Amino acid sequence: MFPTFSSLHLPVGGDRMRPGLEDVLQLAVCEFGIDVTAGWLDAVEASHEEYRTTQLRAFVREFPDIAFEELRRAGYVDGDVPQRPVREDRISRLRRYRYPSSGTTARRLVLFASPESKHCALLR
């Protein structure tokens, strides 16, 4: 039996490069035209910035050689490339495929709208 679309796992960049909840919310507003309150975009953009900054910092900690090399290429730093930390306990985040049953903690999002209106509810 082929799985339904709602049960498929779509890998979209792993732990650090995946879309965030903010992306899903913005998609729902922009693509499906759900009603929003004033200031929604400012709130989503501020949350985007916080989430992406956290992800970027974590990525730089895990891959300092890549970050350093890019900063050197742009002329910001000189010197030796730092050593990438070796993790024997798992495959690099740059290579691995994350299965939904792998024990990761995921944020669950359910959006639903009434057939009569464009109102939407969010459950986490």
Side-chain angles (χ1 to χ4, degrees), residues 40-109:
W40 77 272
L41 185 57
D42 289 334
V44 167
E45 288 175 344
S47 188
H48 260 138
E49 184 175 356
E50 181 181 343
Y51 172 73
R52 290 173 178 165
T53 298
T54 300
Q55 294 303 309
L56 178 58
R57 285 182 174 143
F59 230 120
V60 167
R61 276 192 308 274
E62 189 164 357
F63 301 103
D65 54 321
I66 296 171
F68 186 89
E69 189 59 44
E70 189 57 33
L71 289 170
R72 182 167 54 190
R73 190 175 303 140
Y76 291 109
V77 296
D78 287 318
D80 296 330
V81 176
Q83 197 70 18
R84 181 181 299 179
V86 177
R87 296 286 308 257
E88 299 291 335
D89 59 328
R90 62 179 166 82
I91 298 171
S92 168
R93 291 181 198 272
L94 296 177
R95 302 190 75 171
R96 80 175 168 208
Y97 175 86
R98 183 61 102 174
Y99 291 94
S101 61
S102 63
T104 61
T105 303
R107 293 189 279 181
R108 293 185 72 80
L109 170 70

